Amino acid sequence: MKDIAINLLEERGVTLEDMAVLVLDLQKKYYDDLTIEECIENLHHVLEKREVQNAILTGIALDKLAEKDMLEEPLLSILKKDEPLYGIDEILALSITNVYGSIGLTNFGYLDKVKPGIIGKLNENKEKKCNTFIDDLVAAIIAAACARIAHSKKEVL
């Protein structure tokens, strides 16, 4: 399932490296010895969780169905426009951040608002693809990896 989830992300233009760059960017001020390899490793751990895999499968399937006009109205138009008041895309993504607690939630909020890196690229491609769910899913995966790093690094008091 993890490999399927990673392949689906890659099919939609998202690599582990794209996400790792943002994980590193968000965490480097707290852990100056953090490497991109550690960020990728933490992303792998996040992607091993069944809740994460299920969210990815569901969200990407809905994005693809919308692209093919295979959903009923008004849902089809809502997804194609990525209506700001829809919110279900964020709710699905929050199922990923909830695995790692409040740190994941706050990082997700920041990523969803600022839309840096790959998240912004996904958000820009609205005319070509329906990325209503995937941009939030990617933000949540990154946020969860950041939270995992925060939980696993030992603080020196």
Side-chain angles (χ1 to χ4, degrees):
M1 282 285 283
K2 177 183 155 191
D3 291 337
I4 292 169
I6 291 171
N7 288 336
L8 281 171
L9 290 167
E10 288 176 353
E11 285 173 16
R12 303 298 287 182
V14 180
T15 67
L16 289 173
E17 290 76 17
D18 293 330
M19 293 187 286
V21 167
L22 289 176
V23 173
L24 183 62
D25 188 53
L26 288 172
Q27 294 300 297
K28 67 184 173 191
K29 62 184 163 197
Y30 306 110
Y31 311 105
D32 55 1
D33 62 339
L34 186 65
T35 66
I36 197 82
E37 293 79 19
E38 285 178 282
C39 295
I40 290 171
E41 179 184 332
N42 279 281
L43 286 165
H44 276 287
H45 283 287
V46 169
L47 291 164
E48 287 173 3
K49 299 284 189 183
R50 187 55 62 121
E51 303 98 309
V52 175
Q53 296 163 2
N54 289 338
I56 292 167
L57 295 174
T58 303
I60 291 177
L62 287 167
D63 281 346
K64 286 179 169 182
L65 289 170
E67 285 173 4
K68 296 176 184 175
D69 294 331
M70 296 180 71
L71 297 170
E72 294 182 18
E73 291 291 355
L75 182 59
L76 178 62
S77 294
I78 290 168
L79 292 185
K80 283 185 145 187
K81 292 177 189 171
D82 197 3
E83 290 284 345
L85 294 177
Y86 178 61
I88 304 304
D89 46 340
E90 282 88 3
I91 297 300
L92 182 62
L94 289 174
S95 69
I96 294 172
T97 63
N98 285 340
V99 174
Y100 292 96
S102 61
I103 296 171
L105 178 62
T106 56
N107 279 320
F108 173 75
Y110 170 79
L111 291 167
D112 189 42
K113 184 74 173 165
V114 176
K115 300 190 186 320
I118 187 64
I119 301 164
K121 287 179 186 171
L122 291 167
N123 207 45
E124 291 169 1
N125 279 340
K126 289 181 184 179
E127 302 305 317
K128 298 175 186 169
K129 287 187 171 183
C130 179
N131 288 331
T132 298
F133 283 91
I134 194 169
D135 63 334
D136 294 307
L137 293 169
V138 169
I141 294 163
I142 293 165
C146 289
R148 188 177 190 285
I149 290 168
H151 286 292
S152 63
K153 293 276 189 182
K154 295 190 191 256
E155 290 188 45
V156 179
L157 299 176

